[in-house]
Amino acid sequence: RLRVYVNFGTKLGLLGTVYGLVGALLTGGVATLVDNLGVMFGTTLFGLLVELVGFVGLGLSPATARS
């Protein structure tokens, strides 16, 4: 069950980053990118925190959890 946290944390960080970049690319403005930096950074940090909870709960290193 904790392995789900590891997988979800990684996907959440990636989705947050992609969301901010796509929003800036679609509008074509640097201002939108700057506005979305907080969202991108926040979701990446939250994803890392969720992943860390999974690693600590499983008692695994990142290399062992990926296999």
Side-chain angles (χ1 to χ4, degrees), residues 18-61:
V18 169
Y19 168 77
L21 289 175
V22 166
L25 288 174
L26 289 178
T27 60
V30 176
T32 308
L33 179 63
V34 171
D35 290 340
N36 289 338
L37 278 177
V39 173
M40 294 186 319
F41 188 67
T43 54
T44 301
L45 285 182
F46 185 70
L48 285 172
L49 179 67
V50 169
E51 194 170 359
L52 180 66
V53 167
F55 283 139
V56 170
L58 288 170
L60 296 176
S61 69

